[in-house]
Coordinates of all heavy atoms in Angstrom, one line a residue:
M21 N 17.2 4.6 -23.4 CA 15.8 4.2 -23.3 C 15.8 2.7 -23.2 O 16.4 2.0 -23.9 CB 15.0 4.7 -24.5 CG 14.6 6.2 -24.4 SD 13.6 6.7 -23.1 CE 12.1 5.7 -23.4
P22 N 14.7 2.2 -22.4 CA 14.5 0.8 -22.3 C 13.9 0.2 -23.6 O 13.2 0.9 -24.3 CB 13.6 0.6 -21.1 CG 13.0 1.9 -21.0 CD 13.9 3.0 -21.5
I23 N 14.1 -1.0 -23.8 CA 13.6 -1.7 -25.0 C 12.4 -2.6 -24.6 O 11.4 -2.7 -25.4 CB 14.8 -2.5 -25.6 CG1 15.8 -1.6 -26.2 CG2 14.2 -3.4 -26.8 CD1 17.1 -2.4 -26.5
I24 N 12.5 -3.2 -23.5 CA 11.5 -4.1 -22.9 C 10.2 -3.3 -22.5 O 10.3 -2.2 -22.1 CB 12.0 -4.8 -21.8 CG1 13.2 -5.7 -22.1 CG2 10.9 -5.7 -21.1 CD1 13.9 -6.2 -21.0
K25 N 9.1 -3.9 -23.1 CA 7.8 -3.2 -22.9 C 7.4 -2.8 -21.5 O 7.0 -1.7 -21.2 CB 6.7 -4.1 -23.5 CG 5.4 -3.5 -23.6 CD 4.4 -4.3 -24.3 CE 3.0 -3.7 -24.5 NZ 2.1 -4.6 -25.1
S26 N 7.7 -3.7 -20.6 CA 7.4 -3.4 -19.2 C 8.3 -2.3 -18.6 O 7.8 -1.5 -17.8 CB 7.4 -4.7 -18.2 OG 8.8 -5.1 -18.3
A27 N 9.5 -2.2 -19.0 CA 10.3 -1.3 -18.6 C 10.1 0.1 -19.2 O 10.1 1.1 -18.4 CB 11.9 -1.6 -19.0
I28 N 9.6 0.1 -20.4 CA 9.0 1.4 -21.0 C 7.8 1.9 -20.1 O 7.8 3.0 -20.0 CB 8.6 1.1 -22.5 CG1 9.9 0.8 -23.4 CG2 7.9 2.3 -23.0 CD1 9.5 0.4 -24.7
A29 N 6.9 1.0 -19.8 CA 5.7 1.4 -19.0 C 6.2 1.9 -17.6 O 5.6 2.8 -17.1 CB 4.8 0.1 -19.0
R30 N 7.2 1.3 -17.1 CA 7.7 1.7 -15.8 C 8.3 3.1 -15.8 O 8.0 3.9 -14.9 CB 8.8 0.7 -15.3 CG 9.0 0.7 -13.8 CD 7.8 0.1 -13.1 NE 7.9 0.9 -11.9 CZ 6.8 1.1 -11.2 NH1 5.6 0.8 -11.6 NH2 6.9 1.8 -10.1
V31 N 9.0 3.4 -16.9 CA 9.6 4.8 -17.0 C 8.4 5.8 -17.1 O 8.5 6.9 -16.5 CB 10.4 4.9 -18.3 CG1 10.7 6.3 -18.7 CG2 11.7 4.0 -18.1
K32 N 7.4 5.5 -17.8 CA 6.2 6.4 -17.9 C 5.5 6.6 -16.6 O 5.2 7.7 -16.2 CB 5.3 5.8 -19.0 CG 4.5 6.8 -19.7 CD 3.9 6.3 -21.0 CE 2.7 5.6 -20.9 NZ 2.0 5.2 -22.1
T33 N 5.5 5.5 -15.9 CA 4.7 5.6 -14.6 C 5.6 6.3 -13.6 O 5.1 7.2 -12.8 CB 4.7 4.2 -13.9 OG1 3.9 3.3 -14.9 CG2 3.9 4.1 -12.6
N34 N 7.0 6.1 -13.6 CA 7.9 6.8 -12.8 C 7.8 8.3 -13.0 O 7.9 9.2 -12.2 CB 9.3 6.4 -12.9 CG 9.5 4.9 -12.2 OD1 8.7 4.6 -11.3 ND2 10.4 4.2 -12.7
E35 N 7.7 8.7 -14.3 CA 7.7 10.1 -14.6 C 6.4 10.8 -14.2 O 6.5 12.0 -13.7 CB 7.8 10.3 -16.2 CG 9.3 10.1 -16.7 CD 9.3 10.1 -18.3 OE1 8.2 10.2 -18.9 OE2 10.5 10.0 -18.8
K36 N 5.3 10.1 -14.3 CA 4.0 10.8 -13.7 C 4.2 10.8 -12.2 O 3.7 11.8 -11.6 CB 2.9 9.7 -14.2 CG 2.6 9.9 -15.6 CD 1.1 9.5 -15.9 CE 0.7 8.1 -15.5 NZ -0.5 7.7 -16.3
A37 N 4.7 9.8 -11.5 CA 4.7 9.8 -10.1 C 5.6 10.9 -9.7 O 5.5 11.7 -8.7 CB 5.2 8.5 -9.5
N38 N 6.8 11.1 -10.4 CA 7.8 12.2 -10.0 C 7.1 13.5 -10.2 O 7.3 14.4 -9.3 CB 9.0 12.1 -11.0 CG 10.1 13.0 -10.6 OD1 10.1 13.5 -9.5 ND2 11.1 13.0 -11.4
A39 N 6.4 13.7 -11.3 CA 5.7 15.1 -11.4 C 4.7 15.3 -10.4 O 4.6 16.4 -9.8 CB 5.1 15.0 -12.8
R40 N 4.0 14.2 -10.0 CA 2.9 14.4 -8.9 C 3.6 14.8 -7.5 O 3.2 15.6 -6.8 CB 2.2 13.0 -8.8 CG 0.9 13.1 -8.0 CD 0.2 11.8 -8.0 NE 0.0 11.2 -9.2 CZ 0.5 10.0 -9.4 NH1 1.2 9.3 -8.4 NH2 0.4 9.4 -10.5
N41 N 4.7 14.0 -7.3 CA 5.4 14.2 -6.0 C 6.1 15.5 -5.9 O 6.0 16.1 -4.9 CB 6.5 13.1 -5.8 CG 5.9 11.8 -5.5 OD1 4.6 11.5 -5.1 ND2 6.6 10.7 -5.7
S42 N 6.6 16.0 -7.0 CA 7.3 17.3 -7.0 C 6.2 18.4 -6.9 O 6.6 19.4 -6.1 CB 8.0 17.6 -8.4 OG 9.0 16.5 -8.6
A43 N 5.1 18.3 -7.4 CA 4.1 19.3 -7.3 C 3.6 19.4 -5.8 O 3.5 20.4 -5.2 CB 2.9 18.9 -8.2
Q44 N 3.4 18.1 -5.3 CA 3.0 18.1 -3.8 C 4.0 18.7 -2.9 O 3.7 19.5 -1.9 CB 2.7 16.6 -3.4 CG 2.1 16.6 -2.0 CD 0.7 16.9 -2.1 OE1 -0.1 16.7 -3.0 NE2 0.2 17.6 -0.9
L45 N 5.3 18.4 -3.1 CA 6.4 18.9 -2.2 C 6.4 20.5 -2.5 O 6.6 21.3 -1.5 CB 7.7 18.3 -2.6 CG 8.2 17.2 -1.8 CD1 9.6 16.7 -2.3 CD2 8.3 17.6 -0.3
S46 N 6.3 21.0 -3.7 CA 6.3 22.3 -3.9 C 5.2 23.1 -3.2 O 5.4 24.2 -2.7 CB 6.2 22.6 -5.5 OG 6.1 23.9 -5.7
T47 N 4.0 22.5 -3.2 CA 2.8 23.0 -2.6 C 3.1 23.1 -1.1 O 2.8 24.2 -0.4 CB 1.6 22.1 -2.8 OG1 1.3 22.0 -4.2 CG2 0.3 22.7 -2.0
M48 N 3.7 22.1 -0.5 CA 4.1 22.2 0.9 C 5.1 23.3 1.2 O 4.8 24.0 2.2 CB 4.6 20.8 1.4 CG 5.0 20.8 2.8 SD 6.1 19.5 3.3 CE 7.7 20.2 2.8
R49 N 6.0 23.4 0.4 CA 7.1 24.4 0.7 C 6.5 25.8 0.6 O 6.9 26.7 1.3 CB 8.3 24.2 -0.3 CG 9.1 23.0 0.0 CD 10.3 22.8 -0.9 NE 11.0 21.6 -0.7 CZ 11.3 20.8 -1.6 NH1 11.0 21.0 -2.9 NH2 12.0 19.6 -1.4
S50 N 5.7 25.9 -0.4 CA 5.0 27.3 -0.7 C 4.2 27.6 0.5 O 4.2 28.9 0.9 CB 4.2 27.3 -1.9 OG 5.0 27.0 -3.0
A51 N 3.4 26.7 1.1 CA 2.6 27.0 2.2 C 3.4 27.4 3.4 O 3.1 28.4 4.1 CB 1.6 25.8 2.5
V52 N 4.5 26.8 3.7 CA 5.4 27.0 4.7 C 6.0 28.4 4.6 O 6.0 29.2 5.5 CB 6.5 26.0 5.0 CG1 7.6 26.4 5.9 CG2 5.8 24.6 5.3
K53 N 6.4 28.7 3.4 CA 7.0 30.1 3.1 C 6.0 31.1 3.1 O 6.4 32.3 3.8 CB 7.6 30.1 1.7 CG 9.0 29.4 1.7 CD 9.6 29.5 0.2 CE 10.9 28.7 0.1 NZ 11.3 28.6 -1.3
K54 N 4.8 30.9 2.8 CA 3.8 31.9 3.0 C 3.5 32.3 4.4 O 3.4 33.4 4.8 CB 2.5 31.4 2.4 CG 2.1 31.8 0.9 CD 0.8 31.4 0.5 CE 0.6 31.3 -1.0 NZ -0.5 30.7 -1.4
F55 N 3.5 31.2 5.2 CA 3.3 31.5 6.7 C 4.5 32.2 7.3 O 4.3 33.2 7.9 CB 3.1 30.0 7.4 CG 3.4 30.2 8.9 CD1 2.4 30.9 9.6 CD2 4.4 29.8 9.6 CE1 2.5 31.0 11.0 CE2 4.7 30.0 10.9 CZ 3.6 30.5 11.7
E56 N 5.7 31.8 6.8 CA 7.0 32.5 7.4 C 6.9 34.0 7.0 O 7.2 34.9 7.8 CB 8.2 31.8 6.9 CG 8.4 30.3 7.5 CD 8.8 30.3 8.9 OE1 9.3 31.4 9.4 OE2 8.5 29.3 9.5
N57 N 6.7 34.1 5.7 CA 6.6 35.7 5.2 C 5.6 36.4 6.0 O 5.8 37.6 6.3 CB 6.5 35.6 3.7 CG 7.7 35.1 3.0 OD1 8.8 35.0 3.5 ND2 7.5 34.7 1.9
A58 N 4.4 35.8 6.1 CA 3.3 36.6 6.8 C 3.6 36.9 8.2 O 3.4 38.0 8.7 CB 2.0 35.8 6.7
K59 N 4.3 35.9 8.9 CA 4.7 36.2 10.3 C 5.8 37.2 10.3 O 5.7 38.1 11.2 CB 5.2 34.9 10.8 CG 5.5 34.9 12.4 CD 4.2 35.2 13.2 CE 4.6 35.2 14.6 NZ 3.5 35.7 15.5
T60 N 6.8 37.3 9.5 CA 7.8 38.2 9.4 C 7.1 39.6 9.1 O 7.5 40.6 9.8 CB 8.7 37.9 8.4 OG1 9.3 36.6 8.6 CG2 9.9 38.9 8.3
A61 N 6.1 39.6 8.2 CA 5.5 41.0 7.9 C 4.6 41.4 8.9 O 4.1 42.6 8.9 CB 4.8 40.9 6.5
G62 N 4.1 40.5 9.8 CA 3.1 40.8 10.8 C 1.7 40.9 10.3 O 0.9 41.7 10.7
A63 N 1.3 40.0 9.4 CA 0.1 40.1 8.8 C -1.1 39.6 9.8 O -0.7 38.9 10.8 CB 0.0 39.1 7.5
D64 N -2.3 39.8 9.5 CA -3.4 39.5 10.3 C -3.8 37.9 10.2 O -4.1 37.3 11.2 CB -4.6 40.2 10.0 CG -4.4 41.7 9.8 OD1 -3.3 42.2 10.0 OD2 -5.3 42.3 9.3
N65 N -3.6 37.3 9.2 CA -4.1 36.0 8.9 C -3.1 34.8 9.1 O -3.0 33.8 8.5 CB -4.6 35.8 7.4 CG -3.5 36.1 6.4 OD1 -2.5 36.6 6.7 ND2 -3.8 35.7 5.2
T66 N -2.0 35.1 10.0 CA -1.0 34.1 10.3 C -1.6 32.8 10.9 O -1.1 31.7 10.4 CB 0.0 34.7 11.3 OG1 -0.6 35.1 12.5 CG2 0.8 35.8 10.7
E67 N -2.6 32.9 11.7 CA -3.3 31.7 12.2 C -3.8 30.8 11.1 O -3.7 29.6 11.1 CB -4.4 32.1 13.1 CG -5.0 30.9 13.8 CD -4.3 30.6 15.2 OE1 -3.6 31.5 15.7 OE2 -4.4 29.5 15.6
E68 N -4.5 31.4 10.1 CA -5.0 30.7 9.0 C -4.0 30.0 8.1 O -4.0 28.9 7.7 CB -5.9 31.6 8.1 CG -6.6 31.0 6.9 CD -7.3 32.0 6.1 OE1 -7.6 33.0 6.6 OE2 -7.4 31.7 4.9
L69 N -3.0 30.9 7.9 CA -1.8 30.3 7.0 C -1.0 29.2 7.8 O -0.5 28.3 7.2 CB -0.8 31.5 6.8 CG -1.3 32.5 5.7 CD1 -0.4 33.6 5.5 CD2 -1.6 31.8 4.3
F70 N -0.9 29.4 9.1 CA -0.3 28.3 9.9 C -1.0 27.0 9.8 O -0.5 25.9 9.6 CB -0.3 28.7 11.4 CG 0.1 27.6 12.3 CD1 1.4 27.2 12.4 CD2 -0.9 26.9 13.1 CE1 1.8 26.1 13.3 CE2 -0.5 25.9 13.9 CZ 0.8 25.5 14.0
N71 N -2.5 27.0 9.9 CA -3.2 25.8 9.7 C -3.0 25.2 8.3 O -2.9 24.0 8.1 CB -4.7 26.2 9.9 CG -5.0 26.4 11.4 OD1 -4.2 25.9 12.2 ND2 -6.0 27.2 11.6
Q72 N -3.0 26.0 7.3 CA -2.7 25.6 5.9 C -1.4 24.8 5.7 O -1.3 23.9 5.2 CB -2.9 26.7 4.9 CG -4.3 27.2 4.7 CD -4.4 28.4 3.9 OE1 -3.4 28.9 3.4 NE2 -5.6 28.9 3.6
A73 N -0.4 25.5 6.4 CA 1.0 25.0 6.3 C 1.0 23.6 7.0 O 1.7 22.7 6.5 CB 2.0 26.0 6.9
V74 N 0.5 23.6 8.2 CA 0.5 22.2 8.9 C -0.2 21.2 8.2 O 0.2 20.1 8.0 CB -0.2 22.5 10.3 CG1 -0.4 21.2 11.0 CG2 0.8 23.3 11.2
S75 N -1.4 21.5 7.5 CA -2.1 20.6 6.7 C -1.3 20.1 5.6 O -1.2 18.9 5.2 CB -3.4 21.3 6.2 OG -4.1 20.4 5.4
A76 N -0.6 21.0 4.9 CA 0.3 20.6 3.8 C 1.5 19.7 4.2 O 1.8 18.8 3.5 CB 0.9 21.9 3.1
V77 N 2.0 20.1 5.3 CA 3.1 19.2 5.9 C 2.5 17.8 6.1 O 3.2 16.7 5.8 CB 3.7 19.8 7.2 CG1 4.7 18.8 7.8 CG2 4.5 21.0 6.8
D78 N 1.4 17.8 6.8 CA 0.7 16.5 7.1 C 0.4 15.7 5.8 O 0.6 14.4 5.8 CB -0.6 16.6 7.9 CG -0.3 17.0 9.4 OD1 0.8 16.6 9.9 OD2 -1.1 17.6 10.0
K79 N -0.1 16.4 4.8 CA -0.4 15.7 3.6 C 0.9 15.1 2.9 O 1.0 13.9 2.5 CB -1.0 16.6 2.6 CG -2.4 16.6 2.6 CD -3.1 17.4 1.5 CE -4.5 17.7 1.8 NZ -5.1 18.9 1.1
A80 N 2.0 15.8 2.9 CA 3.2 15.4 2.4 C 3.7 14.2 3.1 O 4.2 13.2 2.5 CB 4.3 16.5 2.4
Y81 N 3.6 14.2 4.4 CA 4.0 13.1 5.3 C 3.1 11.9 4.9 O 3.6 10.7 4.8 CB 3.9 13.3 6.8 CG 4.1 12.1 7.6 CD1 5.3 11.4 7.6 CD2 2.9 11.7 8.2 CE1 5.3 10.2 8.3 CE2 3.0 10.5 9.0 CZ 4.2 9.7 9.0 OH 4.4 8.6 9.8
S82 N 1.8 12.1 4.8 CA 0.9 10.9 4.6 C 1.1 10.3 3.2 O 0.9 9.1 3.0 CB -0.5 11.3 4.8 OG -0.9 12.1 3.6
K83 N 1.7 11.0 2.3 CA 2.0 10.6 0.9 C 3.4 10.0 0.8 O 3.8 9.5 -0.2 CB 1.7 11.6 -0.1 CG 0.3 12.0 -0.2 CD 0.2 13.1 -1.2 CE -1.3 13.6 -1.2 NZ -2.3 12.6 -1.5
G84 N 4.1 10.1 1.9 CA 5.5 9.5 2.0 C 6.5 10.3 1.3 O 7.6 9.9 1.1
L85 N 6.3 11.6 1.2 CA 7.3 12.6 0.6 C 8.3 13.0 1.5 O 9.3 13.4 1.2 CB 6.5 13.8 -0.1 CG 5.4 13.4 -1.2 CD1 4.8 14.7 -1.6 CD2 6.2 12.6 -2.3
I86 N 7.8 13.1 2.7 CA 8.8 13.5 3.9 C 8.7 12.4 5.1 O 7.6 11.8 5.1 CB 8.6 14.9 4.4 CG1 7.2 15.1 4.9 CG2 8.9 15.9 3.3 CD1 7.0 16.4 5.6
K87 N 9.8 12.4 5.8 CA 9.6 11.5 7.0 C 9.0 12.1 8.2 O 8.8 13.3 8.2 CB 11.1 11.1 7.3 CG 11.7 10.4 6.1 CD 13.1 9.7 6.6 CE 13.7 9.1 5.4 NZ 13.9 7.6 5.7
A88 N 8.6 11.2 9.2 CA 7.8 11.6 10.2 C 8.5 12.7 11.1 O 8.0 13.6 11.5 CB 7.6 10.4 11.1
N89 N 9.8 12.4 11.3 CA 10.6 13.4 12.1 C 10.7 14.8 11.4 O 10.6 15.9 12.2 CB 12.0 12.9 12.3 CG 12.2 11.9 13.4 OD1 11.2 11.6 14.1 ND2 13.3 11.3 13.5
K90 N 10.8 14.8 10.1 CA 10.8 16.1 9.4 C 9.4 16.8 9.6 O 9.4 18.0 9.8 CB 11.1 16.0 7.9 CG 11.1 17.3 7.2 CD 11.7 17.4 5.8 CE 11.5 18.6 5.1 NZ 11.8 19.8 5.7
A91 N 8.4 16.0 9.4 CA 7.1 16.7 9.6 C 6.8 17.3 11.0 O 6.4 18.4 11.1 CB 6.0 15.7 9.3
A92 N 7.2 16.5 12.0 CA 7.1 16.9 13.3 C 8.0 18.1 13.6 O 7.5 19.0 14.2 CB 7.4 15.8 14.4
R93 N 9.2 18.1 13.1 CA 10.1 19.2 13.3 C 9.7 20.6 12.6 O 9.6 21.6 13.3 CB 11.5 18.9 12.7 CG 12.6 19.9 12.9 CD 14.0 19.5 12.4 NE 14.0 19.2 11.0 CZ 14.1 18.0 10.3 NH1 14.4 17.0 11.0 NH2 14.1 18.0 9.1
D94 N 9.1 20.4 11.4 CA 8.6 21.5 10.7 C 7.4 22.2 11.4 O 7.3 23.3 11.6 CB 8.2 21.2 9.3 CG 9.4 21.0 8.3 OD1 10.5 21.2 8.8 OD2 9.2 20.6 7.2
K95 N 6.5 21.3 11.8 CA 5.3 21.7 12.5 C 5.7 22.4 13.9 O 5.1 23.4 14.3 CB 4.3 20.6 12.7 CG 3.7 20.1 11.4 CD 2.5 19.1 11.6 CE 2.9 17.9 12.3 NZ 1.7 17.0 12.5
S96 N 6.6 21.8 14.6 CA 7.0 22.4 15.8 C 7.6 23.8 15.7 O 7.3 24.6 16.5 CB 8.1 21.4 16.5 OG 8.6 22.1 17.7
R97 N 8.5 23.9 14.8 CA 9.1 25.2 14.5 C 8.2 26.3 14.1 O 8.1 27.4 14.6 CB 10.1 25.1 13.4 CG 11.4 24.4 13.9 CD 12.4 24.2 12.7 NE 13.6 23.6 13.1 CZ 14.6 23.0 12.3 NH1 14.4 23.3 10.9 NH2 15.6 22.5 12.7
M98 N 7.0 25.9 13.3 CA 6.1 26.8 12.9 C 5.3 27.1 14.1 O 4.8 28.4 14.2 CB 5.3 26.3 11.8 CG 5.9 26.2 10.4 SD 4.8 25.8 9.1 CE 4.4 24.1 9.5
A99 N 4.9 26.1 15.0 CA 4.1 26.5 16.1 C 4.9 27.4 17.1 O 4.2 28.3 17.7 CB 3.8 25.2 16.9
A100 N 6.1 27.2 17.2 CA 7.0 28.1 18.1 C 6.9 29.5 17.6 O 6.9 30.5 18.2 CB 8.3 27.5 18.3
R101 N 7.1 29.5 16.2 CA 7.1 30.8 15.5 C 5.8 31.6 15.7 O 5.7 32.8 15.8 CB 7.4 30.7 14.1 CG 7.6 31.9 13.2 CD 9.1 32.3 13.2 NE 9.2 33.6 12.7 CZ 9.3 34.0 11.5 NH1 9.5 33.2 10.5 NH2 9.4 35.4 11.2
L102 N 4.7 30.9 15.6 CA 3.4 31.4 15.7 C 3.1 31.8 17.2 O 2.5 33.0 17.3 CB 2.3 30.4 15.4 CG 0.9 30.9 15.5 CD1 0.6 31.8 14.4 CD2 -0.2 29.8 15.4
A103 N 3.6 31.2 18.1 CA 3.5 31.6 19.6 C 4.3 32.8 20.0 O 3.9 33.5 20.8 CB 3.8 30.4 20.5
K104 N 5.4 33.1 19.2 CA 6.2 34.3 19.5 C 5.5 35.5 19.3 O 4.8 35.8 18.4 CB 7.4 34.3 18.7 CG 8.6 33.8 19.5 CD 9.8 34.1 18.5 CE 11.2 33.6 19.2 NZ 12.3 33.6 18.5

């Protein structure tokens, strides 16, 4: 554990940011998986789930959790999957 006051505060800040980022990434992954599972099962609401998944990927990118290429790649794959 750090001894210096500013380092202690930094650890606390980092832990909060880590929890926030992990939650956001988990939300994104869950949205993508929901879409994938619905498409596999042949559900009716795949279009709606696709839009939610794309939105989640865009949010994760805008917050700096994933890079631009990964966001584009994920969205492209989901769009191709939706069109099939």
Side-chain angles (χ1 to χ4, degrees):
M21 278 304 290
I23 298 169
I24 298 167
K25 190 175 183 182
S26 61
I28 292 169
R30 201 66 216 149
V31 166
K32 212 157 77 168
T33 305
N34 286 340
E35 285 173 353
K36 283 201 305 200
N38 188 9
R40 194 179 318 117
N41 292 341
S42 298
Q44 186 73 39
L45 264 180
S46 176
T47 302
M48 181 198 80
R49 290 184 185 128
S50 296
V52 171
K53 280 182 188 172
K54 267 186 198 169
F55 165 72
E56 292 291 336
N57 292 339
K59 186 65 180 168
T60 303
D64 314 354
N65 61 345
T66 53
E67 187 87 24
E68 180 187 337
L69 290 173
F70 170 74
N71 290 334
Q72 289 174 356
V74 167
S75 174
V77 169
D78 284 338
K79 267 189 193 158
Y81 166 65
S82 71
K83 292 177 187 302
L85 302 178
I86 60 174
K87 298 192 181 235
N89 280 355
K90 177 168 172 52
R93 182 176 65 239
D94 286 354
K95 291 194 297 186
S96 174
R97 285 178 180 168
M98 285 190 293
R101 183 94 198 266
L102 180 68
K104 255 189 184 173

